[in-house]
Short mmCIF file of all heavy atoms in Angstrom, two decimals:
data_model
loop_
_atom_site.label_atom_id
_atom_site.label_comp_id
_atom_site.label_asym_id
_atom_site.label_seq_id
_atom_site.Cartn_x
_atom_site.Cartn_y
_atom_site.Cartn_z
N MET A 1480 148.69 117.28 -56.68
CA MET A 1480 149.82 116.34 -56.65
C MET A 1480 151.09 117.18 -56.78
O MET A 1480 151.21 118.03 -57.66
CB MET A 1480 149.71 115.40 -57.83
CG MET A 1480 150.89 114.52 -57.97
SD MET A 1480 150.71 113.27 -59.25
CE MET A 1480 151.22 114.19 -60.67
N ALA A 1481 152.00 116.97 -55.91
CA ALA A 1481 153.27 117.69 -55.92
C ALA A 1481 154.35 116.75 -56.48
O ALA A 1481 154.49 115.62 -56.04
CB ALA A 1481 153.65 118.15 -54.52
N LEU A 1482 155.10 117.25 -57.43
CA LEU A 1482 156.21 116.49 -57.99
C LEU A 1482 157.51 116.89 -57.29
O LEU A 1482 157.63 118.02 -56.82
CB LEU A 1482 156.37 116.79 -59.48
CG LEU A 1482 155.23 116.35 -60.42
CD1 LEU A 1482 155.53 116.86 -61.82
CD2 LEU A 1482 155.14 114.86 -60.41
N PRO A 1483 158.47 115.96 -57.22
CA PRO A 1483 159.78 116.37 -56.72
C PRO A 1483 160.34 117.48 -57.62
O PRO A 1483 160.02 117.52 -58.82
CB PRO A 1483 160.61 115.06 -56.86
CG PRO A 1483 159.59 113.96 -56.92
CD PRO A 1483 158.38 114.56 -57.58
N ALA A 1484 161.14 118.35 -57.06
CA ALA A 1484 161.63 119.53 -57.79
C ALA A 1484 162.25 119.21 -59.15
O ALA A 1484 161.91 119.89 -60.14
CB ALA A 1484 162.66 120.27 -56.90
N PRO A 1485 163.10 118.16 -59.29
CA PRO A 1485 163.66 117.92 -60.61
C PRO A 1485 162.58 117.54 -61.66
O PRO A 1485 162.64 117.97 -62.82
CB PRO A 1485 164.61 116.76 -60.40
CG PRO A 1485 164.94 116.74 -58.96
CD PRO A 1485 163.70 117.32 -58.28
N LEU A 1486 161.59 116.76 -61.22
CA LEU A 1486 160.52 116.39 -62.16
C LEU A 1486 159.60 117.57 -62.48
O LEU A 1486 159.14 117.72 -63.62
CB LEU A 1486 159.67 115.24 -61.61
CG LEU A 1486 160.36 113.87 -61.56
CD1 LEU A 1486 159.45 112.83 -60.91
CD2 LEU A 1486 160.74 113.41 -62.96
N ALA A 1487 159.34 118.42 -61.48
CA ALA A 1487 158.55 119.60 -61.74
C ALA A 1487 159.22 120.52 -62.74
O ALA A 1487 158.59 121.03 -63.67
CB ALA A 1487 158.28 120.35 -60.43
N ALA A 1488 160.52 120.71 -62.59
CA ALA A 1488 161.27 121.52 -63.54
C ALA A 1488 161.21 120.95 -64.94
O ALA A 1488 161.04 121.67 -65.92
CB ALA A 1488 162.72 121.70 -63.07
N LEU A 1489 161.37 119.63 -65.05
CA LEU A 1489 161.28 118.97 -66.34
C LEU A 1489 159.91 119.10 -66.95
O LEU A 1489 159.78 119.40 -68.17
CB LEU A 1489 161.67 117.49 -66.22
CG LEU A 1489 161.58 116.64 -67.48
CD1 LEU A 1489 162.56 117.18 -68.54
CD2 LEU A 1489 161.87 115.19 -67.16
N ALA A 1490 158.86 118.94 -66.16
CA ALA A 1490 157.51 119.07 -66.65
C ALA A 1490 157.25 120.47 -67.18
O ALA A 1490 156.68 120.64 -68.28
CB ALA A 1490 156.49 118.73 -65.53
N TRP A 1491 157.67 121.50 -66.44
CA TRP A 1491 157.45 122.88 -66.89
C TRP A 1491 158.27 123.18 -68.15
O TRP A 1491 157.82 123.92 -69.01
CB TRP A 1491 157.75 123.88 -65.77
CG TRP A 1491 156.59 123.99 -64.84
CD1 TRP A 1491 156.56 123.58 -63.55
CD2 TRP A 1491 155.30 124.47 -65.13
NE1 TRP A 1491 155.30 123.78 -63.03
CE2 TRP A 1491 154.51 124.33 -63.99
CE3 TRP A 1491 154.69 125.00 -66.28
CZ2 TRP A 1491 153.18 124.72 -63.92
CZ3 TRP A 1491 153.36 125.39 -66.20
CH2 TRP A 1491 152.62 125.24 -65.02
N LYS A 1492 159.46 122.57 -68.26
CA LYS A 1492 160.27 122.79 -69.46
C LYS A 1492 159.53 122.18 -70.65
O LYS A 1492 159.45 122.80 -71.73
CB LYS A 1492 161.64 122.17 -69.34
CG LYS A 1492 162.51 122.38 -70.57
CD LYS A 1492 163.81 121.60 -70.48
CE LYS A 1492 164.65 121.76 -71.72
NZ LYS A 1492 163.99 121.72 -73.01
N GLU A 1493 158.98 120.99 -70.48
CA GLU A 1493 158.25 120.35 -71.58
C GLU A 1493 157.01 121.13 -71.95
O GLU A 1493 156.66 121.29 -73.13
CB GLU A 1493 157.93 118.90 -71.23
CG GLU A 1493 159.17 118.04 -71.20
CD GLU A 1493 158.84 116.55 -70.96
OE1 GLU A 1493 157.67 116.16 -71.05
OE2 GLU A 1493 159.80 115.79 -70.70
N ILE A 1494 156.31 121.67 -70.96
CA ILE A 1494 155.12 122.50 -71.22
C ILE A 1494 155.52 123.73 -72.00
O ILE A 1494 154.91 124.12 -72.99
CB ILE A 1494 154.41 122.85 -69.92
CG1 ILE A 1494 153.72 121.60 -69.35
CG2 ILE A 1494 153.40 123.99 -70.13
CD1 ILE A 1494 153.19 121.75 -67.96
N HIS A 1495 156.60 124.39 -71.53
CA HIS A 1495 157.09 125.60 -72.21
C HIS A 1495 157.49 125.29 -73.65
O HIS A 1495 157.16 126.05 -74.59
CB HIS A 1495 158.29 126.20 -71.44
CG HIS A 1495 158.82 127.44 -72.05
ND1 HIS A 1495 158.13 128.63 -72.03
CD2 HIS A 1495 159.96 127.67 -72.72
CE1 HIS A 1495 158.86 129.55 -72.66
NE2 HIS A 1495 159.95 128.99 -73.10
N ASP A 1496 158.21 124.17 -73.88
CA ASP A 1496 158.61 123.80 -75.23
C ASP A 1496 157.36 123.53 -76.09
O ASP A 1496 157.33 123.92 -77.28
CB ASP A 1496 159.50 122.54 -75.20
CG ASP A 1496 160.87 122.81 -74.59
OD1 ASP A 1496 161.24 124.01 -74.41
OD2 ASP A 1496 161.55 121.82 -74.27
N PHE A 1497 156.37 122.88 -75.55
CA PHE A 1497 155.13 122.60 -76.27
C PHE A 1497 154.42 123.89 -76.65
O PHE A 1497 153.95 124.05 -77.77
CB PHE A 1497 154.21 121.73 -75.40
CG PHE A 1497 152.88 121.45 -76.01
CD1 PHE A 1497 152.73 120.42 -76.95
CD2 PHE A 1497 151.78 122.21 -75.69
CE1 PHE A 1497 151.52 120.16 -77.54
CE2 PHE A 1497 150.55 121.96 -76.27
CZ PHE A 1497 150.42 120.93 -77.21
N GLU A 1498 154.37 124.84 -75.68
CA GLU A 1498 153.73 126.13 -75.94
C GLU A 1498 154.41 126.83 -77.14
O GLU A 1498 153.75 127.37 -78.03
CB GLU A 1498 153.79 127.02 -74.75
CG GLU A 1498 152.88 126.62 -73.60
CD GLU A 1498 153.04 127.47 -72.38
OE1 GLU A 1498 154.13 128.04 -72.16
OE2 GLU A 1498 152.06 127.59 -71.65
N LYS A 1499 155.75 126.84 -77.12
CA LYS A 1499 156.47 127.51 -78.19
C LYS A 1499 156.24 126.79 -79.54
O LYS A 1499 156.02 127.43 -80.56
CB LYS A 1499 157.97 127.54 -77.86
CG LYS A 1499 158.36 128.54 -76.83
CD LYS A 1499 159.83 128.50 -76.53
CE LYS A 1499 160.61 129.16 -77.64
NZ LYS A 1499 162.05 129.32 -77.33
N GLU A 1500 156.27 125.46 -79.52
CA GLU A 1500 156.11 124.68 -80.75
C GLU A 1500 154.72 124.86 -81.36
O GLU A 1500 154.57 125.03 -82.55
CB GLU A 1500 156.40 123.20 -80.43
CG GLU A 1500 156.20 122.30 -81.63
CD GLU A 1500 156.37 120.83 -81.26
OE1 GLU A 1500 157.25 120.52 -80.45
OE2 GLU A 1500 155.59 120.01 -81.78
N LYS A 1501 153.70 124.81 -80.52
CA LYS A 1501 152.31 124.87 -80.99
C LYS A 1501 151.77 126.29 -81.05
O LYS A 1501 150.70 126.51 -81.61
CB LYS A 1501 151.41 124.02 -80.08
CG LYS A 1501 151.79 122.57 -80.03
CD LYS A 1501 151.63 121.90 -81.36
CE LYS A 1501 151.96 120.43 -81.25
NZ LYS A 1501 151.86 119.73 -82.50
N GLY A 1502 152.48 127.24 -80.45
CA GLY A 1502 151.99 128.63 -80.45
C GLY A 1502 150.75 128.81 -79.63
O GLY A 1502 149.90 129.64 -79.96
N MET A 1503 150.62 128.06 -78.56
CA MET A 1503 149.47 128.20 -77.66
C MET A 1503 149.94 128.11 -76.20
O MET A 1503 150.91 127.46 -75.90
CB MET A 1503 148.40 127.15 -77.96
CG MET A 1503 148.88 125.74 -77.74
SD MET A 1503 147.62 124.47 -77.93
CE MET A 1503 147.07 124.68 -79.57
N SER A 1504 149.19 128.80 -75.37
CA SER A 1504 149.53 128.84 -73.95
C SER A 1504 148.88 127.68 -73.22
O SER A 1504 147.73 127.29 -73.53
CB SER A 1504 149.07 130.14 -73.33
OG SER A 1504 149.72 131.22 -73.93
N PHE A 1505 149.55 127.20 -72.19
CA PHE A 1505 149.01 126.20 -71.29
C PHE A 1505 148.28 126.92 -70.19
O PHE A 1505 148.82 127.83 -69.59
CB PHE A 1505 150.14 125.34 -70.72
CG PHE A 1505 149.68 124.40 -69.63
CD1 PHE A 1505 149.08 123.21 -69.97
CD2 PHE A 1505 149.90 124.71 -68.30
CE1 PHE A 1505 148.66 122.35 -68.97
CE2 PHE A 1505 149.46 123.86 -67.30
CZ PHE A 1505 148.85 122.66 -67.65
N ILE A 1506 147.03 126.54 -69.94
CA ILE A 1506 146.33 127.07 -68.78
C ILE A 1506 145.77 125.89 -67.97
O ILE A 1506 145.45 124.84 -68.53
CB ILE A 1506 145.20 128.07 -69.15
CG1 ILE A 1506 144.09 127.36 -69.96
CG2 ILE A 1506 145.71 129.25 -69.91
CD1 ILE A 1506 142.83 128.20 -70.08
N THR A 1507 145.74 126.10 -66.69
CA THR A 1507 145.24 125.04 -65.82
C THR A 1507 143.72 125.00 -65.86
O THR A 1507 143.06 125.96 -66.30
CB THR A 1507 145.70 125.26 -64.39
OG1 THR A 1507 145.11 126.48 -63.90
CG2 THR A 1507 147.22 125.34 -64.27
N THR A 1508 143.14 123.90 -65.38
CA THR A 1508 141.70 123.79 -65.33
C THR A 1508 141.07 124.92 -64.51
O THR A 1508 140.09 125.52 -64.96
CB THR A 1508 141.29 122.41 -64.80
OG1 THR A 1508 141.80 121.44 -65.72
CG2 THR A 1508 139.78 122.26 -64.69
N PRO A 1509 141.60 125.24 -63.33
CA PRO A 1509 141.00 126.35 -62.59
C PRO A 1509 141.07 127.70 -63.35
O PRO A 1509 140.14 128.48 -63.30
CB PRO A 1509 141.83 126.44 -61.30
CG PRO A 1509 142.37 125.05 -61.11
CD PRO A 1509 142.61 124.54 -62.51
N GLU A 1510 142.17 127.91 -64.07
CA GLU A 1510 142.25 129.15 -64.89
C GLU A 1510 141.18 129.15 -65.97
O GLU A 1510 140.55 130.16 -66.22
CB GLU A 1510 143.65 129.27 -65.52
CG GLU A 1510 144.75 129.60 -64.56
CD GLU A 1510 146.13 129.50 -65.18
OE1 GLU A 1510 146.36 128.58 -66.02
OE2 GLU A 1510 146.97 130.36 -64.85
N ARG A 1511 141.02 128.02 -66.65
CA ARG A 1511 140.05 127.92 -67.73
C ARG A 1511 138.64 128.14 -67.20
O ARG A 1511 137.82 128.91 -67.76
CB ARG A 1511 140.14 126.55 -68.40
CG ARG A 1511 139.15 126.38 -69.56
CD ARG A 1511 139.26 125.02 -70.20
NE ARG A 1511 139.26 123.90 -69.28
CZ ARG A 1511 138.15 123.42 -68.66
NH1 ARG A 1511 136.96 123.97 -68.89
NH2 ARG A 1511 138.25 122.43 -67.81
N ILE A 1512 138.31 127.54 -66.05
CA ILE A 1512 136.99 127.70 -65.44
C ILE A 1512 136.77 129.15 -65.04
O ILE A 1512 135.71 129.72 -65.28
CB ILE A 1512 136.82 126.75 -64.23
CG1 ILE A 1512 136.75 125.29 -64.75
CG2 ILE A 1512 135.57 127.13 -63.41
CD1 ILE A 1512 136.87 124.26 -63.65
N ALA A 1513 137.80 129.79 -64.46
CA ALA A 1513 137.66 131.17 -64.05
C ALA A 1513 137.45 132.09 -65.26
O ALA A 1513 136.63 133.00 -65.20
CB ALA A 1513 138.90 131.63 -63.27
N ARG A 1514 138.14 131.80 -66.34
CA ARG A 1514 137.92 132.58 -67.56
C ARG A 1514 136.49 132.46 -68.06
O ARG A 1514 135.86 133.44 -68.43
CB ARG A 1514 138.89 132.15 -68.66
CG ARG A 1514 140.29 132.62 -68.47
CD ARG A 1514 141.14 132.19 -69.62
NE ARG A 1514 142.52 132.59 -69.41
CZ ARG A 1514 143.47 132.50 -70.33
NH1 ARG A 1514 143.18 132.01 -71.53
NH2 ARG A 1514 144.70 132.86 -70.06
N GLU A 1515 136.00 131.24 -68.09
CA GLU A 1515 134.64 131.00 -68.57
C GLU A 1515 133.64 131.70 -67.65
O GLU A 1515 132.69 132.32 -68.17
CB GLU A 1515 134.35 129.47 -68.60
CG GLU A 1515 135.12 128.76 -69.69
CD GLU A 1515 135.02 127.25 -69.60
OE1 GLU A 1515 134.31 126.72 -68.70
OE2 GLU A 1515 135.65 126.58 -70.43
N GLU A 1516 133.84 131.64 -66.35
CA GLU A 1516 132.92 132.30 -65.44
C GLU A 1516 132.99 133.82 -65.62
O GLU A 1516 131.96 134.50 -65.60
CB GLU A 1516 133.28 131.97 -63.99
CG GLU A 1516 132.93 130.52 -63.63
CD GLU A 1516 133.38 130.14 -62.22
OE1 GLU A 1516 134.15 130.89 -61.59
OE2 GLU A 1516 133.00 129.02 -61.80
N GLY A 1517 134.18 134.34 -65.83
CA GLY A 1517 134.33 135.78 -66.06
C GLY A 1517 133.65 136.22 -67.32
O GLY A 1517 133.00 137.27 -67.39
N ARG A 1518 133.79 135.42 -68.37
CA ARG A 1518 133.11 135.76 -69.64
C ARG A 1518 131.58 135.75 -69.46
O ARG A 1518 130.89 136.65 -69.95
CB ARG A 1518 133.50 134.74 -70.72
CG ARG A 1518 134.87 134.98 -71.27
CD ARG A 1518 135.14 134.05 -72.44
NE ARG A 1518 136.51 134.22 -72.88
CZ ARG A 1518 137.43 133.28 -72.82
NH1 ARG A 1518 137.14 132.07 -72.38
NH2 ARG A 1518 138.67 133.51 -73.22
N GLU A 1519 131.08 134.76 -68.74
CA GLU A 1519 129.65 134.70 -68.54
C GLU A 1519 129.16 135.89 -67.71
O GLU A 1519 128.11 136.47 -68.02
CB GLU A 1519 129.25 133.38 -67.82
CG GLU A 1519 127.75 133.21 -67.62
CD GLU A 1519 126.95 133.37 -68.91
OE1 GLU A 1519 127.39 132.93 -69.97
OE2 GLU A 1519 125.84 133.92 -68.84
N GLU A 1520 129.93 136.28 -66.69
CA GLU A 1520 129.54 137.45 -65.91
C GLU A 1520 129.52 138.70 -66.78
O GLU A 1520 128.62 139.53 -66.69
CB GLU A 1520 130.56 137.66 -64.74
CG GLU A 1520 130.37 136.68 -63.62
CD GLU A 1520 131.44 136.89 -62.54
OE1 GLU A 1520 132.10 137.95 -62.52
OE2 GLU A 1520 131.59 135.96 -61.71
N GLY A 1521 130.53 138.82 -67.67
CA GLY A 1521 130.58 139.95 -68.56
C GLY A 1521 129.40 139.98 -69.52
O GLY A 1521 128.81 141.03 -69.77
N ARG A 1522 129.03 138.80 -70.04
CA ARG A 1522 127.89 138.72 -70.93
C ARG A 1522 126.60 139.12 -70.20
O ARG A 1522 125.79 139.85 -70.72
CB ARG A 1522 127.74 137.32 -71.52
CG ARG A 1522 128.72 137.03 -72.64
CD ARG A 1522 128.37 135.73 -73.34
NE ARG A 1522 128.67 134.55 -72.55
CZ ARG A 1522 129.83 133.90 -72.57
NH1 ARG A 1522 130.79 134.32 -73.36
NH2 ARG A 1522 130.01 132.86 -71.82
N GLU A 1523 126.46 138.65 -68.98
CA GLU A 1523 125.25 138.98 -68.19
C GLU A 1523 125.19 140.47 -67.92
O GLU A 1523 124.14 141.10 -68.05
CB GLU A 1523 125.23 138.19 -66.90
CG GLU A 1523 123.95 138.46 -66.07
CD GLU A 1523 122.68 138.19 -66.80
OE1 GLU A 1523 122.60 137.21 -67.59
OE2 GLU A 1523 121.72 138.96 -66.61
N GLU A 1524 126.36 141.07 -67.56
CA GLU A 1524 126.38 142.54 -67.34
C GLU A 1524 126.00 143.26 -68.61
O GLU A 1524 125.27 144.25 -68.56
CB GLU A 1524 127.75 142.94 -66.83
CG GLU A 1524 128.04 142.55 -65.43
CD GLU A 1524 129.46 142.89 -64.99
OE1 GLU A 1524 130.17 143.64 -65.74
OE2 GLU A 1524 129.86 142.42 -63.92
N GLY A 1525 126.52 142.79 -69.74
CA GLY A 1525 126.20 143.43 -71.02
C GLY A 1525 124.72 143.33 -71.35
O GLY A 1525 124.10 144.28 -71.84
N ARG A 1526 124.13 142.13 -71.07
CA ARG A 1526 122.71 141.97 -71.32
C ARG A 1526 121.91 142.94 -70.45
O ARG A 1526 120.95 143.55 -70.91
CB ARG A 1526 122.27 140.52 -71.10
CG ARG A 1526 122.71 139.57 -72.19
CD ARG A 1526 122.05 138.20 -71.99
NE ARG A 1526 122.60 137.49 -70.89
CZ ARG A 1526 123.63 136.61 -71.02
NH1 ARG A 1526 124.19 136.40 -72.15
NH2 ARG A 1526 124.06 135.98 -69.93
N GLU A 1527 122.28 143.05 -69.19
CA GLU A 1527 121.56 143.93 -68.27
C GLU A 1527 121.69 145.40 -68.71
O GLU A 1527 120.69 146.11 -68.70
CB GLU A 1527 122.06 143.77 -66.84
CG GLU A 1527 121.31 144.62 -65.81
CD GLU A 1527 119.80 144.34 -65.83
OE1 GLU A 1527 119.40 143.18 -65.95
OE2 GLU A 1527 119.04 145.32 -65.65
N GLU A 1528 122.87 145.80 -69.14
CA GLU A 1528 123.05 147.15 -69.66
C GLU A 1528 122.17 147.38 -70.88
O GLU A 1528 121.58 148.45 -71.03
CB GLU A 1528 124.51 147.42 -69.97
CG GLU A 1528 125.39 147.58 -68.74
CD GLU A 1528 126.84 147.74 -69.08
OE1 GLU A 1528 127.18 147.97 -70.27
OE2 GLU A 1528 127.67 147.63 -68.16
N GLY A 1529 122.15 146.40 -71.76
CA GLY A 1529 121.35 146.51 -72.97
C GLY A 1529 119.87 146.64 -72.63
O GLY A 1529 119.15 147.47 -73.25
N ARG A 1530 119.39 145.84 -71.65
CA ARG A 1530 117.96 145.96 -71.25
C ARG A 1530 117.68 147.34 -70.69
O ARG A 1530 116.67 147.94 -70.99
CB ARG A 1530 117.63 144.87 -70.24
CG ARG A 1530 117.50 143.47 -70.82
CD ARG A 1530 116.92 142.50 -69.81
NE ARG A 1530 117.89 142.14 -68.77
CZ ARG A 1530 118.70 141.12 -68.85
NH1 ARG A 1530 118.70 140.30 -69.89
NH2 ARG A 1530 119.50 140.86 -67.84
N GLU A 1531 118.60 147.84 -69.87
CA GLU A 1531 118.39 149.16 -69.26
C GLU A 1531 118.36 150.24 -70.34
O GLU A 1531 117.51 151.12 -70.30
CB GLU A 1531 119.50 149.46 -68.26
CG GLU A 1531 119.36 150.79 -67.54
CD GLU A 1531 118.08 150.88 -66.71
OE1 GLU A 1531 117.58 149.87 -66.19
OE2 GLU A 1531 117.56 152.02 -66.62
N GLU A 1532 119.28 150.17 -71.30
CA GLU A 1532 119.26 151.16 -72.38
C GLU A 1532 117.99 151.05 -73.19
O GLU A 1532 117.41 152.07 -73.59
CB GLU A 1532 120.47 150.95 -73.32
CG GLU A 1532 121.78 151.33 -72.70
CD GLU A 1532 122.97 151.04 -73.61
OE1 GLU A 1532 122.78 150.76 -74.82
OE2 GLU A 1532 124.11 151.07 -73.11
N GLY A 1533 117.51 149.85 -73.43
CA GLY A 1533 116.26 149.67 -74.16
C GLY A 1533 115.09 150.25 -73.40
O GLY A 1533 114.21 150.90 -74.01
N ARG A 1534 115.06 150.06 -72.09
CA ARG A 1534 113.98 150.66 -71.30
C ARG A 1534 114.02 152.19 -71.38
O ARG A 1534 112.98 152.83 -71.55
CB ARG A 1534 114.13 150.25 -69.82
CG ARG A 1534 113.67 148.87 -69.54
CD ARG A 1534 113.67 148.58 -68.03
NE ARG A 1534 114.03 147.22 -67.79
CZ ARG A 1534 115.21 146.77 -67.35
NH1 ARG A 1534 116.15 147.62 -67.00
NH2 ARG A 1534 115.42 145.48 -67.20
N GLU A 1535 115.22 152.75 -71.25
CA GLU A 1535 115.36 154.21 -71.31
C GLU A 1535 114.92 154.73 -72.68
O GLU A 1535 114.21 155.74 -72.75
CB GLU A 1535 116.80 154.63 -71.04
CG GLU A 1535 117.21 154.44 -69.57
CD GLU A 1535 118.66 154.81 -69.36
OE1 GLU A 1535 119.26 155.44 -70.22
OE2 GLU A 1535 119.18 154.41 -68.30
N GLU A 1536 115.34 154.08 -73.76
CA GLU A 1536 114.96 154.52 -75.09
C GLU A 1536 113.43 154.43 -75.28
O GLU A 1536 112.80 155.29 -75.84
CB GLU A 1536 115.65 153.70 -76.16
CG GLU A 1536 117.12 154.03 -76.30
CD GLU A 1536 117.82 153.20 -77.35
OE1 GLU A 1536 117.13 152.64 -78.26
OE2 GLU A 1536 119.03 153.05 -77.26
N GLY A 1537 112.87 153.33 -74.80
CA GLY A 1537 111.41 153.15 -74.90
C GLY A 1537 110.65 154.21 -74.13
O GLY A 1537 109.67 154.74 -74.58
N TRP A 1538 111.17 154.51 -72.94
CA TRP A 1538 110.53 155.53 -72.12
C TRP A 1538 110.60 156.90 -72.83
O TRP A 1538 109.60 157.61 -72.88
CB TRP A 1538 111.25 155.60 -70.75
CG TRP A 1538 110.62 156.55 -69.80
CD1 TRP A 1538 109.51 156.33 -69.04
CD2 TRP A 1538 111.05 157.90 -69.56
NE1 TRP A 1538 109.26 157.45 -68.27
CE2 TRP A 1538 110.16 158.43 -68.58
CE3 TRP A 1538 112.08 158.66 -70.01
CZ2 TRP A 1538 110.33 159.71 -68.07
CZ3 TRP A 1538 112.21 159.94 -69.52
CH2 TRP A 1538 111.33 160.45 -68.58
N LYS A 1539 111.77 157.21 -73.37
CA LYS A 1539 111.91 158.51 -74.08
C LYS A 1539 110.98 158.57 -75.29
O LYS A 1539 110.33 159.58 -75.52
CB LYS A 1539 113.35 158.71 -74.55
CG LYS A 1539 114.29 159.08 -73.40
CD LYS A 1539 115.70 159.19 -73.90
CE LYS A 1539 116.67 159.45 -72.77
NZ LYS A 1539 118.07 159.50 -73.24
N GLU A 1540 110.94 157.50 -76.07
CA GLU A 1540 110.08 157.48 -77.23
C GLU A 1540 108.58 157.59 -76.84
O GLU A 1540 107.83 158.29 -77.50
CB GLU A 1540 110.30 156.21 -78.05
CG GLU A 1540 111.60 156.17 -78.79
CD GLU A 1540 111.80 154.88 -79.54
OE1 GLU A 1540 110.88 154.07 -79.68
OE2 GLU A 1540 112.95 154.65 -80.01
N GLY A 1541 108.25 156.94 -75.76
CA GLY A 1541 106.85 157.01 -75.29
C GLY A 1541 106.50 158.42 -74.83
O GLY A 1541 105.38 158.91 -75.05
N ARG A 1542 107.44 159.12 -74.21
CA ARG A 1542 107.17 160.50 -73.73
C ARG A 1542 107.08 161.47 -74.89
O ARG A 1542 106.37 162.49 -74.81
CB ARG A 1542 108.29 160.93 -72.80
CG ARG A 1542 108.45 160.07 -71.56
CD ARG A 1542 107.59 160.48 -70.48
NE ARG A 1542 107.97 161.79 -69.96
CZ ARG A 1542 107.27 162.43 -69.08
NH1 ARG A 1542 106.21 161.87 -68.56
NH2 ARG A 1542 107.66 163.62 -68.65
N GLU A 1543 107.81 161.16 -76.03
CA GLU A 1543 107.84 162.10 -77.15
C GLU A 1543 106.55 161.96 -77.98
O GLU A 1543 106.21 162.89 -78.72
CB GLU A 1543 109.05 161.77 -78.06
CG GLU A 1543 110.34 162.15 -77.42
CD GLU A 1543 111.55 161.70 -78.21
OE1 GLU A 1543 111.37 161.04 -79.26
OE2 GLU A 1543 112.68 162.00 -77.79
N GLN A 1544 105.83 160.89 -77.87
CA GLN A 1544 104.66 160.68 -78.71
C GLN A 1544 103.42 161.30 -78.15
O GLN A 1544 103.11 161.82 -77.27
CB GLN A 1544 104.38 159.22 -78.93
CG GLN A 1544 105.48 158.60 -79.77
CD GLN A 1544 105.25 157.10 -80.00
OE1 GLN A 1544 104.26 156.53 -79.55
NE2 GLN A 1544 106.15 156.45 -80.69
#
């Protein structure tokens, strides 16, 4: 939905004022979803790295015995 320029300016001013008053940033739904997806991708990459490190440690320990 596109607002006329004067209303858009007013809306952004009110959002900015709200952010300052509450000490929190306004993010759009697409931004929020993208952040959540990025976090999940990061967690999955971390899990995969952890599994790989575990395999390597297990392999080394098995070879040492």
